[in-house]
Structure formats: C-alpha cells, structure tokens
Amino acid sequence: MSTAQTNLDSRLLEAKAKLRDVFGYDAFRFGQEAIIRAVLERRDTLALLPTGAGKSLCYQLPALMLPGVTLVISPLVSLMDDQVAAMQELGIAAGAVHSGMQPADVMDTFRKLHRGDLKVLYLAPERLMQPNFRERLAELDVALIAVDEAHCISQWGHDFRPEYGQLGQIREWLPGTPVLALTATADAVTRHDIIERLHLHDPELVQGSFDRANIRYVVQEKFKPREQVLAYVKRQKGASGIIYCGSRKKTEDIAESLMRNGVRAAPYHAGLPHEDRHSTLKGFLRDDIDVVVATVAFGMGINKPNVRFVMHFDIPRSVEAYYQETGRAGRDGAPAEAIMLYEPNDSNWIWRLLDEQDDTPRGRVEKQKFSAMTSFAEAQTCRRIVLLNYFNEYRERACGNCDLCLQPPRSYDGTVDAQKALSCVYRTGQQFGLHYVVEVLRGAQTQKIKQYRHDELSTWGIGKDNSQEHWTSVLRQLIHRGLLIQDIRRHSALVLTEEARPVLRGDIALTLAVPRVQTVAQTDTVTDRGQHDKALFKRLRALRKAIAEREEKPPFVVFSDVTLQEMALMLPTTHDAMLRISGVGQVKLERYADAFIAEIKNYLGN
C-alpha cells in the first residue's frame, strides 16, 4: 500500500472519530464519506445530495482537519447565521460576514480571520466579489471553497441568480484551492452548467438518491382551500410547518385566518418590512411561531430540521422547485408530510402566463418543467415513482408512503354522472364556470340561479344526492378527458367538445375515478408516527424549549427531534447510554445530558 493511501486511510479514521466526538454520529450517511475523501485529496467535487442528507457536514468536518480556513458561499443571510450558531454550539470556530451585520461585528470577524482563529467563514457571493475582499484573500490560507445551493449558478436551474455566475473567477485568484459545489436539485443540464461556470477540474461527482423516504407525498383536490388548510394545521397540534402560496395577498389572508383560529402563524413575503420578516424567521426558528405562510421568498437555506409539514396552496412552476420546497420538511429524518392542494384551473392560469411570454429557449424550458409538474399533480400511480423518475432515478416498486399508495384510486361506471354534468353545462348555455354548474346540479337557490331561471331547468337539483366536492371532481375529470374545455376568454366558462356527444347519447360508457375528497391517513398527526413514547417526547421537547430560551438559541440547536425521539425510545439514564443516542457528542453530553437524564428518570418514576 502506498504512503499516500496509508495517509488517506489514517485521515479518514480521524474524520470518523470527529464525526462521533464532535457531531455525535456513529456513521456517515450515504455520500458523505466519498465527498470528504475527495476534499481531503484536494479534488474538486460536485455533490448532489437531497435536502436533509447532511451536505453541510461535508465541508464542516474537513474544515476541522484542514489547515487554514474554509470559505462557504451561501445565498441567504439566515442560513449563514443558523449555520454559524450550530457550529459554535459544537465548539467549531465559525463566523460570517454579511449585509445584516453591524460594522463593528464585521471588523471583529475579519480580525479573527486574519489571526487564524476561524475555521469556517460564511460569505454571500456579492461580498466575495468585492475588490477589497479579493485583496484579503491574498493574505489568507484558504483550504477549501464550498459553494452551497450551487444550482443557483445555472441559467437552466429553477432558481437562477446572476450574481452566482461570477463565482468562477475565484479559480483565477486561488488556483490551487479545491472547490466543493453542493446542491439538492440539479438535472443533467444544470450539472454541466455548474461544472463549466465554476471551472471545476475533473470533479468527483457524488450523487445520492433523491428519495426522501420519511416524507409522505399527498395531493388533495382543492375544494374549499382555506377550510382545508385550517383543518389540516389544527390536526397537526402545533407542529412546525410551511405553507407556500402563489401571491403575497394569499399569504397574508391565510396567515390571518389561521391566527384568528388560534394557530401561532405569520406571513412572509418580500414586500413585508425587513423587521417583520426577521421577526417571523426568528420566531419560527425558536418554535415561537408554528406555521409560516409564505411565497417562495422564504425557505432556501432555512436551517430548521424539525419542519414536520410543507403545504403548497398553489402548484409550483417546476418539479425542481416542488422538490426543493418540500425538502424543507423532515430534514432531521423524522416523519414529515408534503401536501399539495391542486385545482386544474390553477394550472390553466399559469399556462396562460407562459404562453404570453416570447418564444425563447428559457421560455421553452419553463413550459417543459411546468408540464412535468402538472403530470405529477395529476398522476394516478405512486407519487414517489413519478418524482424519482423525473430525476432519472428509476423505480418500479411503489413506495407505500404517498396518497396513491395508501389510498389507491378506485374507479366506477361514471356514465350517468357524466351525462348529468354534461347536460347541465349544455342547458345552462355553456356560459358559466365550474362552480356555478355544480350549484345548479345540487339544486342551490342562489340569487344568480333565480335570476337566470336555471332553477326551472330539468338538470336543476339532479345531483343533490352528491356533495359539492363530488361534482367538482367529476367535472374536472371530464375536462381532463377532453369532454369539456374551460374557455379562458369567457372567465373559464365550460364548453362541450365533440367528444362529449357519444357520452350524452349513451353510445359509450365512461369510467371515472371515485372522487378523492379527503386527505388520506389523517388518523394520526405527523409527530405521532414512530415507536417512541409520545408523552415522554412532549416532555423532552418542553425541556429543550426551556433550555433554548434560557440560552437564547433555536431549540433544534440543543437537540434535534430525532435525537429526542430516540431518547423517548431508548430511555437513556446514564452518560454512557446517552452517548449511544444519535446526535449526542461529547460537547452536548457535557452541556445538556444531565438535565435530560433527570427528566427521563422523573418520567420513569426513578
């Protein structure tokens, strides 16, 4: 065996020891060891690992072993502050420089940097590219450059940021320093763009599975969306969650509705004052706010591992965006849920916006990406299979943890229902939208129906034995089948197509899916899944919150939900037993173990 190989093996053993002693984990997750090996060999590396797979450890751990400082390029201030706090909690010398800091704090960080007191420094790309910082680089011993959220560099990515495009220049300033690019979502075109724009030299490519097995994917038909949101959030009993909306007004309206009903919620969008956004983020990280209702301006890089659900009130523009946003749930590996409320009319509105754009290569890519997103929303096979296949990770076996696996679609002879619905559209003159037709079918006595004398039609009330949700689903399926179209020129009025004629005449039978009017598997809350003692888990969470408030830090910095769940399962009552709990290293053992051991003993009656 060569001397180089022997040295590398020795360093990997050292890395595993630090993984246990500093971070509190017994083994690397998939891909981490390969990435750390490449970094220690001073190779450029492109790491494609899903959110929650532990990408940050891939540069944090080597930073402890390499001489000099590791520079981490990050797009969001909130991510930097969270990561620095988490690393300092582990006893790692970390700092950040960003626009939200006071000048005195920036200068103090620079002094530590030049004294060699920092192992990790977080920077925004704008700061890195400033001429005065480039001058500082010449005086530093830079061991590694880590580019987080690297998909932002690609013009084909779902979150393209032009300022990231300049980062390739750093290879000219620090030609011998290895670069580690990390992202959770990058298709083949985006991967090529990252390698080219960062000037990565023969990079080691480490790609993990895109499967987030702990996340349950659910798509629910959007019927009464605000009521659906409130019912779901109430059922989660204070669990942390994010609700994504397509407009700023919706975020404020839904957040207000939740707050009126006793939910600790807050809106978040780019139009709110900086102070309000900062307060909301801080409250969310510290578990003082349970639900943030937000636009896509919220989330990327939010270092909160105990988000138990992510809900999409509106359909995202791409599978990449959906995957990235849902990936903010369950980063700690505990059970989590991704709920999307879907209405085909939402897709029609986005298609209209896309069709109004000029025909450019990027515009065609956006249409292709949105087409894939609608296919996912309207799928009738395992959601996870569809999702993973999009990322070229082909599966055949159903996952057993999505709505379509837990409650497989059932079909029925829908010929009569279709005839009733189509006849109602025809007799109301093909001038009204879906919801109005449903009201006529169910025999509603609204002023509008009386005004048009539609309560005198033969189709008025012929569907009163079925719910509003049932008929909404039937009409949407008829739209999907091409028997009806929604005329966007006339406020989405329903219009019959030629394909509707043989169904109306009874020449052919029509099979429809039984309407899915309830979210599946709602007998338990997300936090109640698992074998741990639920009552003890709640007590440990309360203790964690008290300690976090006393030390003015987010609760998850003390211990993750997964660590508490393992305590509530294994019931450690000694230091040795506590060290066997995932996430408990020497530093945290000394700081917190006695308090949690005492709580467990008290619960057990010892």
Side-chain angles (χ1 to χ4, degrees):
M1 184 180 294
S2 68
T3 302
Q5 183 62 48
T6 301
N7 289 339
L8 179 61
D9 290 344
S10 175
R11 301 207 75 189
L12 287 174
L13 288 174
E14 180 187 352
K16 291 176 181 177
K18 289 189 180 299
L19 178 71
R20 173 67 258 176
D21 295 340
V22 178
F23 296 91
Y25 300 113
D26 289 323
F28 288 111
R29 298 185 191 178
F30 178 87
Q32 288 179 330
E33 185 171 358
I35 295 167
I36 290 170
R37 175 190 290 270
V39 169
L40 293 177
E41 289 180 309
R42 301 185 63 78
R43 293 190 58 185
D44 286 349
T45 308
L46 174 56
L48 300 169
L49 296 176
T51 302
K55 291 189 291 296
S56 58
L57 184 135
C58 296
Y59 58 79
Q60 291 174 354
L61 194 153
L64 294 175
M65 303 173 61
L66 296 171
V69 65
T70 292
L71 298 183
V72 182
I73 315 304
S74 175
L76 289 181
V77 169
S78 58
L79 172 63
M80 299 184 206
D81 290 340
D82 292 345
Q83 292 277 22
V84 168
M87 293 184 74
Q88 290 175 346
E89 183 72 14
L90 294 171
I92 302 172
V97 175
H98 56 70
S99 57
M101 296 172 63
Q102 295 297 320
D105 294 330
V106 172
M107 292 309 300
D108 182 56
T109 301
F110 279 143
R111 280 193 292 270
K112 292 178 181 176
L113 179 65
H114 287 282
R115 288 199 307 263
D117 293 342
L118 291 182
K119 295 302 296 178
V120 180
L121 178 68
Y122 287 83
L123 297 162
E126 297 85 357
R127 173 71 69 164
L128 178 66
M129 304 308 296
Q130 289 178 358
N132 61 348
F133 191 82
R134 292 207 301 269
E135 295 173 5
R136 290 182 185 276
L137 283 178
E139 304 171 8
L140 299 175
D141 180 12
V142 180
L144 174 68
I145 303 160
V147 181
D148 206 3
E149 307 289 354
H151 62 274
C152 294
I153 204 171
S154 171
Q155 61 180 323
W156 305 114
H158 68 280
D159 199 0
F160 176 53
R161 298 189 176 201
E163 63 269 19
Y164 257 59
Q166 304 173 39
L167 291 180
Q169 297 179 35
I170 200 169
R171 299 315 296 265
E172 301 172 15
W173 310 332
L174 300 170
T177 304
V179 174
L180 168 60
L182 307 110
T183 181
T185 48
D187 55 19
V189 175
T190 303
R191 291 200 296 270
H192 180 269
D193 229 12
I194 292 170
I195 293 171
E196 189 174 72
R197 286 172 173 249
L198 283 177
H199 306 307
L200 301 184
H201 305 309
D202 187 26
E204 177 84 4
L205 175 62
V206 179
Q207 180 170 344
S209 170
F210 283 93
D211 187 9
R212 295 288 306 282
N214 62 314
I215 297 179
R216 176 174 295 173
Y217 296 103
V218 175
V219 178
Q220 184 179 11
E221 288 194 62
K222 184 188 285 187
F223 293 113
K224 298 176 182 176
R226 282 170 172 74
E227 294 178 18
Q228 288 171 289
V229 169
L230 178 60
Y232 180 84
V233 171
K234 284 282 196 180
R235 211 158 30 231
Q236 298 312 315
K237 300 177 182 177
S240 289
I242 304 171
I243 301 172
Y244 284 108
C245 300
S247 73
R248 295 176 179 182
K249 188 176 187 308
K250 285 181 186 176
T251 68
E252 294 181 7
D253 290 347
I254 294 172
E256 184 180 346
S257 171
L258 291 174
M259 287 186 284
R260 281 200 309 268
N261 286 277
V263 177
R264 299 190 303 173
Y268 188 105
H269 59 73
L272 291 171
H274 172 75
E275 296 76 14
D276 291 354
R277 284 181 281 136
H278 179 73
S279 175
T280 294
L281 175 59
K282 184 178 179 181
F284 188 57
L285 292 175
R286 300 200 171 192
D287 289 350
D288 295 327
I289 293 173
D290 294 326
V291 180
V292 173
V293 189
T295 61
V296 293
F298 181 82
M300 188 172 68
I302 296 300
N303 188 31
K304 183 175 171 64
N306 64 327
V307 175
R308 298 274 64 91
F309 67 88
V310 169
M311 176 179 283
H312 282 89
F313 191 86
D314 300 300
I315 185 172
R317 295 291 190 97
S318 69
V319 176
E320 288 93 341
Y322 172 78
Y323 182 82
Q324 186 91 4
E325 288 153 15
T326 57
R328 286 155 198 158
R331 292 180 58 181
D332 53 10
E337 210 155 49
I339 312 291
M340 182 166 68
L341 302 181
Y342 178 65
E343 178 180 1
N345 209 33
D346 291 346
S347 294
N348 295 338
W349 179 76
I350 293 177
W351 276 121
R352 189 160 67 247
L353 294 178
L354 293 173
D355 287 338
E356 290 172 357
Q357 296 179 2
D358 293 335
D359 186 23
T360 63
R362 184 166 181 83
R364 289 193 288 273
V365 169
E366 287 183 3
K367 288 181 180 180
Q368 177 184 335
K369 288 179 179 292
F370 187 62
S371 177
M373 187 65 234
T374 56
S375 295
F376 172 83
E378 296 172 2
Q380 293 296 303
T381 57
C382 171
R383 305 271 182 210
R384 201 175 308 271
I385 287 178
V386 176
L387 188 64
L388 295 178
N389 284 359
Y390 177 84
F391 292 110
N392 300 318
E393 186 177 331
Y394 299 107
R395 298 279 183 92
E396 293 183 1
R397 181 176 298 179
C399 73
N401 194 29
C402 73
D403 58 326
L404 294 170
C405 287
L406 294 166
Q407 187 183 30
R410 294 181 294 120
S411 59
Y412 75 109
D413 184 347
T415 307
V416 173
D417 278 354
Q419 289 172 333
K420 289 178 179 179
L422 295 170
S423 296
C424 193
V425 171
Y426 178 76
R427 294 189 183 279
T428 53
Q430 305 182 77
Q431 299 178 38
F432 298 90
L434 185 150
H435 296 295
Y436 181 83
V437 172
V438 170
E439 288 182 331
V440 175
L441 279 166
R442 299 193 67 241
Q445 298 189 11
T446 65
Q447 185 63 38
K448 188 174 181 180
I449 287 175
K450 292 179 180 178
Q451 175 186 339
Y452 287 103
R453 301 177 66 179
H454 287 160
D455 53 340
E456 300 174 10
L457 296 176
S458 60
T459 52
W460 180 79
I462 59 171
K464 62 184 178 182
D465 292 339
N466 287 314
S467 67
Q468 174 188 349
E469 291 82 3
H470 174 92
W471 286 113
T472 300
S473 178
V474 167
L475 284 164
R476 285 176 179 167
Q477 290 184 64
L478 296 179
I479 294 168
H480 291 162
R481 297 291 192 89
L483 279 64
L484 291 171
I485 60 171
Q486 291 176 294
D487 190 341
I488 60 175
R489 298 166 300 178
R490 294 189 294 141
H491 306 289
S492 296
L494 295 178
V495 179
L496 275 70
T497 66
E498 285 299 316
E499 285 75 9
R501 292 183 182 276
V503 176
L504 278 169
R505 290 196 300 261
D507 294 342
I508 61 171
L510 191 66
T511 300
L512 296 178
V514 175
R516 299 163 59 83
V517 300
Q518 297 292 331
T519 302
V520 299
Q522 290 301 340
T523 55
D524 61 342
T525 65
V526 179
T527 53
D528 282 344
R529 295 173 193 161
Q531 301 302 312
H532 58 281
D533 187 312
K534 311 304 188 295
L536 176 57
F537 174 64
K538 290 178 181 178
R539 288 178 60 159
L540 296 178
R541 282 187 68 190
L543 173 60
R544 178 183 65 178
K545 184 74 166 69
I547 292 173
E549 288 180 348
R550 185 172 66 245
E551 298 187 359
E552 297 185 344
K553 61 185 59 168
F556 62 80
V557 171
V558 177
F559 284 127
S560 71
D561 277 7
V562 169
T563 299
L564 296 189
Q565 288 175 358
E566 195 169 326
M567 289 182 193
L569 178 66
M570 303 304 293
L571 308 177
T573 56
T574 66
H575 279 203
D576 286 344
M578 188 64 81
L579 274 174
R580 289 194 288 272
I581 300 297
S582 177
V584 182
Q586 288 292 342
V587 174
K588 292 193 175 184
L589 180 76
E590 294 172 8
R591 288 184 181 175
Y592 306 123
D594 288 342
F596 284 87
I597 287 172
E599 186 67 25
I600 293 169
K601 286 183 174 179
N602 185 47
Y603 178 76
L604 296 174
N606 293 345

